[in-house]
Structures are given as structure tokens and as C-alpha cells.
Amino acid sequence: MQCEQCHEREAVVHLTQIVDEQVTTVHLCERCAAEKGVEGAGPPAKTPLGDFLAAIGKGQLGVPVGTVELMRCTTCGASLQDFRETGRLGCADCYRTFELQMRDLLRRVHGSTHHVGERYVRRGSAPVTAERAQDDLREQLRLAVETENFELAAEIRDRLRVVE
Amino acid sequence: MIDLTLLADGGLGWLDASGPDSHLVLSTRIRLARNLAGRVFVSRSSESEREAVVRDVQAAAGDTVLLRQAARFRLDRLEPLERHLLHERHLVSRDLAGLGAEGRTRSGAALLMQDRVGVMLNEEDHLRLQALASGFALEAAYASLDRVDTELGQRLAFAFHPEFGYLTSCPTNVGTGLRASVLIHLPGLVLTKEISKVLQGLSQVGLTFRGLYGEGSEVVGNFFQLSNQTTLGQTEAELLDHLGKVVRQVMDYEEQARQVLLRNAPAIIEDKVWRAYGLLRYARAVSFDEAMNLLSGVRLGVGVGLIPGVSIYTLNKLLIHAQPAHLAAAEGLALDDSDLPIHRAHLVRRVLEDDTGRSR
Ligand SMILES: [Zn+2]
Ligand SMILES: [Zn+2]
């Protein structure tokens, strides 16, 4: 998004104001915002990581600068520099590669590093037992009935009858 | 032109004003960010890797109960106008619709949608599961989303970390990957100039707000999307409960503000809402922003019982169909046609006339 003041630089400050009894959001680049005396007001920009990103890998997080800069994720090839520029990680393994930095970042952003919500249990690669196949079908039947997909429910019921 | 009739209610069931508190809350939406284990995230993925994501997820979805009949849209194969349409219906994000500066979609950008639950593919994350509900309905929206998440999670391998939870491309979404938003109309708080205080208060309780079209969008027509800021360290239920409580409180403030307006300045409010109605009934050219602001005034008038005979559902429909891409598609015009304001005024006149005609 372009700055609405100079139409030159990327807008990073999104300021919500009330003009004429209407709420409008003004999008400004850092310089124009500073000229208007605005400091990062309004809703967060696309990457609400601004300050956190700046701090990452700059020796402020307990790791000497040189080592961190050289680190690359062996799976996707992403570096901390890439992350700092885009605010996006390259793959799930980046969380292991840059664990120290991520832990610190998560603590600052979320106030926690511990997921306490639903735990994902991936269905194992163990062979499908007859019992589990039946359980799966029963679960599908329950969902089909719940969502009033009666045609599908009848079909699943037939399949259950065969395996039971 | 894409066939939106493939979708139940054209994908617009969420605005039928049948949900709780529909006079204040337009819709509730919840999304879950998920990535496939063993595949690089979208920002670093190649075209073939993104195709593989589409293939895997479509195969898994075909095996589920809740997405097996999902309508499929390949955003990367649609015309700009068609992508705008999906975005204006709030079914895909700006990013997925490729409506950013470069105006192009990422290859592999796709949407699966059945009933009021959908999955965006190759958005910022491999999967963005989303549920839409009419009115203020956090529990109902989450319940349907959770079931789809479970069904897909059993058939796919999601990237999950024992400590951090679901892993996402941006660390701001890690953990639950859950972002819940409530789209709420707050003209009373804007008119009484209390809105800044309320919005500032949000950030102090870990919530944030956006405009009508989500991330990075402007506030138009006094519509605000209130949503949770953090996704880690609290359970899904806690996140939803907290957001729900704050929204409830904001709704109370809004009702109070409306009472204050009616008590202290009844003539001014009455003039304001009827003036908005009058303009919409008789104007011959209306820009989108103006239409949104006038519709906000009429919605307020309907909400406080000053304007009879107009239904919230009608106003919701206008909110969608008065948008540029919807108008352009309906009239067979280009998105940048300079006559759109004229067609918009005509549409609004006709729809409001119908509504009042029925009630009298
Ligand atoms: Zn500027
Ligand atoms: Zn990586």
C-alpha cells in the first residue's frame, strides 16, 4: 500500500481518525507520519512484528551477531535476514533452526511460548485395523447425520453393515 | 464468469441477518492457519510444490463428510473481476485474490467451500480454514470449523510442534492458528466520539480491529472487525470467550451511545438518518464510500426504530451488491467504468423502494 501523503513510499502507519463524524483510516509512510507527529497509531500493519523483527539477530537476543547471520535453515535455506525482511519463516523446521530467536519472539508477541490449545494427534502410520475402520465410519456417520447429509449417511450405514 | 450458484446461498448465507444480535453484528468469522508437515511454507514454495498442496488437500477433502461436495475455485485461473467478486463476498482474502499492488495471483491459489465453511489454499499458509456465521455467533462458527479441522487433520499431516503448537508462516499466528473476528456496526460510538477510547481500550485487552475487508483495510460505513491479537498461550475456548466478552461490552457501549444520542439530540439524529435515507432514495449517482456512509445512517435509523419498513437483511444485501465488482458484473461493465456510481444509485433506489413497498 502506498503512502497517501507523498504517494512514493510504502505506507507503514495506519492511522484511524474521525473526520466529519466518519471514521477513516489514513495510510502513511514512516517519514510522512513523523512529519504529522504520528507514532504507529491505529491497527497494526500487515506485519505486526515491526520492532520485534528489527531486534532479531542483531545481537540483542543473546547470540553474537556473526554466528546468527550465518545460520541457515537446512530444510528451506532461509536465513534470519530473510525473516527480518519478510516477517515470514520458510518452513516448519525454521522454528527449530532459529529456536532461540523464535522462543524470544513468541514470548514478546504472545506473552507465552506454550501452546495450551488443542493438541494435534496425527493419525499414526500403523496399519488400519478393522476396529479403527469401523470407528472412522461411525464418526463419519455421526457427522453426516449432524449435517443432514442423509444420502451420504445411508451410504455409510451400508458400508458399516458390511464390515460389522 | 464464475458460477457463484455453486455455493450455498451464493456464499452469502452469512449476511442473511438470521444470527444473534444481527442489528449490530453483521457476521462472525473464524479462521485456523494450518500447514502441511514436510513441505516448505508458501512464501518459499515453488509452483509444483503449491500444486502438490492443492492435490493433497483436495484428495483429503474429497474423503471427508464436511467438504466432499465443496465447490472449488482456482483463483489463479480467474479473471480479475471474478476474483474481486469472491473477495467482495468475504470468501477469500485480498492476498489470495491477488488484489495487491502487483495484481496477480500466486499459482495454486484456490478456495474450497461447502456450506459456510471453506479452505483457502496457498494463502500465507498452506491451509486457511474459515467459517462464516450470520450475526454474533462465535461458538457456532467455531464448532463447524473445528469439525472440518479434525476431519482434514486426520487425512493430512499438519505441522505441529509439541511446545509451540501449530506452526505458521508468520509467528504471530503460531499456537492455535486461530483468528476470530466479529464485524460490528458502531455508528453510535462514532457520533458520540467515544470510538477512539473504545478502540484504544481494545489493544489493552489483547484485541485489535480492522476495517470491513480485514487486514490492512480501511474502516468504511462505521463497520469494525474486532479480533484477537494473540494466538498462543491460551486455549481456543479462552480466546473465543475473551473476544466474546469484550464484543458484548462494546455492544453495550454502542447501545448506550445510541440512547444518549436519542435522549440528548433526538431532532439531530432523526434528521441525520432520514437525510441518509432520502439521499439513497433519490440520488442519481453515489460513490461506494458515500453509499456505505449513507447505508450506515439508515442502518442506525432502523436499529433505533426511527425508520420503519426497511429490513437489516436488505441493508446487508446492499452492502454486498453496491460494491464495484458486484455492480460491474451485474451490469456487464468494466470495474473502472465511470458510470458505476449511476448504476449504484439506481440499484439502491430500486431495492429500498421494494422494501418500503412491501411493508406498506
Ligand atoms: Zn509518505
Ligand atoms: Zn526452514
Side-chain angles (χ1 to χ4, degrees):
Chain A
M1 190 180 293
Q2 228 179 30
C3 171
E4 290 173 2
Q5 188 81 17
C6 62
H7 299 283
E8 278 172 17
R9 292 171 287 267
E10 180 77 356
V12 291
V13 175
H14 306 274
L15 174 68
T16 297
Q17 345 176 274
I18 299 171
V19 182
D20 252 4
E21 298 179 342
Q22 294 298 341
V23 177
T24 53
T25 310
V26 189
H27 309 278
L28 300 170
C29 70
E30 219 150 356
R31 198 176 308 168
C32 295
E35 275 169 18
K36 289 196 156 201
V38 178
E39 262 182 88
K46 180 87 180 148
T47 304
L49 284 174
D51 297 344
F52 303 118
L53 289 180
I56 268 216
K58 284 202 170 160
Q60 297 176 16
L61 299 174
V63 182
V65 177
T67 2
V68 173
E69 290 300 322
L70 289 176
M71 243 153 61
R72 274 190 181 278
C73 173
T74 49
T75 307
C76 72
S79 67
L80 271 184
Q81 179 64 26
D82 294 329
F83 176 60
R84 198 154 54 218
E85 278 165 14
T86 62
R88 306 285 181 274
L89 291 164
C91 74
D93 292 338
C94 286
Y95 280 95
R96 273 180 239 282
T97 312
F98 311 117
E99 187 169 338
L100 213 68
Q101 290 77 19
M102 283 308 125
R103 198 175 291 281
D104 193 84
L105 181 71
L106 294 177
R107 201 173 290 119
R108 293 179 196 213
V109 171
H110 298 280
S112 166
T113 62
H114 271 82
H115 173 63
V116 293
E118 274 191 23
R119 300 210 70 78
Y120 177 56
V121 187
R122 195 178 150 188
R123 202 188 270 186
S125 49
V128 181
T129 62
E131 203 175 324
R132 212 192 72 195
Q134 281 183 31
D135 281 351
D136 286 353
L137 280 173
R138 274 188 216 103
E139 171 63 14
Q140 288 190 30
L141 178 61
R142 194 184 61 79
L143 276 177
V145 170
E146 220 175 284
T147 55
E148 299 178 10
N149 195 339
F150 299 119
E151 214 171 301
L152 179 62
E155 194 183 302
I156 297 170
R157 221 172 267 128
D158 288 342
R159 276 160 63 192
L160 259 174
R161 216 165 282 137
V162 175
V163 293
E164 265 171 357
Chain B
M1 189 58 66
I2 48 167
D3 186 3
L4 291 169
T5 60
L6 293 173
L7 297 167
D9 310 313
L12 288 176
W14 56 273
L15 61 63
D16 69 4
S18 64
D21 303 298
S22 285
H23 65 298
L24 290 182
V25 177
L26 193 70
S27 67
T28 300
R29 57 180 51 236
I30 306 181
R31 65 105 164 117
L32 295 172
R34 299 287 184 258
N35 284 283
L36 299 179
R39 294 197 181 281
V40 294
F41 291 159
V42 174
S43 63
R44 287 186 91 80
S45 66
S46 67
E47 200 173 327
S48 65
E49 284 165 326
R50 290 194 291 275
E51 284 304 327
V53 169
V54 175
R55 208 176 47 231
D56 288 359
V57 177
Q58 277 191 352
D63 185 42
T64 63
V65 171
L66 300 169
L67 286 176
R68 71 163 49 208
Q69 281 148 351
R72 300 169 185 188
F73 298 99
R74 286 290 300 241
L75 278 291
D76 52 354
R77 293 173 193 167
L78 294 180
E79 295 299 320
L81 182 62
E82 300 172 311
R83 291 185 264 126
H84 268 279
L85 275 176
L86 289 173
H87 179 243
E88 285 184 355
R89 290 193 178 199
H90 298 243
L91 301 179
V92 298
S93 64
R94 220 182 147 69
D95 176 64
L96 197 80
L99 302 177
E102 67 275 33
R104 277 170 50 92
T105 44
R106 199 178 286 123
S107 74
L111 168 72
L112 302 181
M113 178 115 191
Q114 183 172 337
D115 299 325
R116 293 181 195 184
V117 182
V119 189
M120 289 190 274
L121 300 181
N122 289 310
E123 216 257 14
E124 185 181 304
D125 295 296
H126 294 145
L127 295 91
R128 285 276 175 103
L129 284 61
Q130 58 180 8
L132 296 163
S134 168
F136 183 37
L138 285 165
E139 287 79 14
Y142 183 67
S144 55
L145 194 57
D146 190 32
R147 291 187 311 200
V148 170
D149 180 39
T150 306
E151 276 210 301
L152 283 178
Q154 285 170 356
R155 290 161 179 84
L156 296 163
F158 288 155
F160 187 86
H161 185 283
E163 183 186 352
F164 302 155
Y166 288 98
L167 298 179
T168 52
S169 162
C170 182
T172 52
N173 297 318
V174 99
T176 56
L178 180 147
R179 185 91 56 213
S181 321
V182 175
L183 185 55
I184 186 168
H185 186 227
L186 302 173
L189 288 170
V190 172
L191 285 170
T192 54
K193 309 222 187 317
E194 295 286 316
I195 192 73
S196 322
K197 244 186 286 171
V198 171
L199 296 179
Q200 275 160 23
L202 288 180
S203 64
Q204 284 160 17
V205 293
L207 301 185
T208 183
F209 76 96
R210 300 182 167 91
L212 185 57
Y213 300 103
E215 213 152 23
S217 73
E218 294 177 38
V219 172
V220 285
N222 299 320
F223 275 107
F224 297 81
Q225 277 201 46
L226 311 187
S227 57
N228 59 306
Q229 175 92 283
T230 60
T231 54
L232 182 63
Q234 291 178 78
T235 64
E236 290 81 0
E238 285 166 345
L239 290 168
L240 295 173
D241 184 62
H242 180 60
L243 175 65
K245 280 193 177 122
V246 176
V247 168
R248 196 50 67 213
Q249 198 164 23
V250 171
M251 281 165 52
D252 284 347
Y253 290 153
E254 171 64 20
E255 299 281 18
Q256 282 166 24
R258 291 180 180 195
Q259 289 315 309
V260 167
L261 288 169
L262 285 175
R263 201 169 49 235
N264 298 352
I268 295 174
I269 289 308
E270 208 174 345
D271 178 63
K272 193 174 175 59
V273 301
W274 280 110
R275 198 173 274 275
Y277 181 76
L279 275 169
L280 288 174
R281 270 301 290 274
Y282 296 105
R284 260 43 186 179
V286 187
S287 74
F288 176 63
D289 279 5
E290 188 184 12
M292 292 298 293
N293 288 333
L294 295 173
L295 284 169
S296 170
V298 173
R299 185 179 288 263
L300 173 63
V302 172
V304 297
L306 285 171
I307 300 181
V310 178
S311 74
I312 292 290
Y313 183 32
T314 296
L315 296 173
N316 288 356
K317 275 189 290 192
L318 280 176
L319 223 56
I320 296 298
H321 294 286
Q323 294 175 109
H326 274 80
L327 264 185
E331 304 289 337
L333 300 170
L335 250 178
D336 58 356
D337 195 290
S338 58
D339 281 348
L340 282 185
I342 297 171
H343 292 285
R344 182 176 293 113
H346 184 252
L347 167 79
V348 173
R349 272 201 320 272
R350 190 163 45 78
V351 170
L352 286 180
E353 229 169 65
D354 277 3
D355 230 30
T356 31
R358 260 205 308 280
S359 72
R360 275 175 198 162

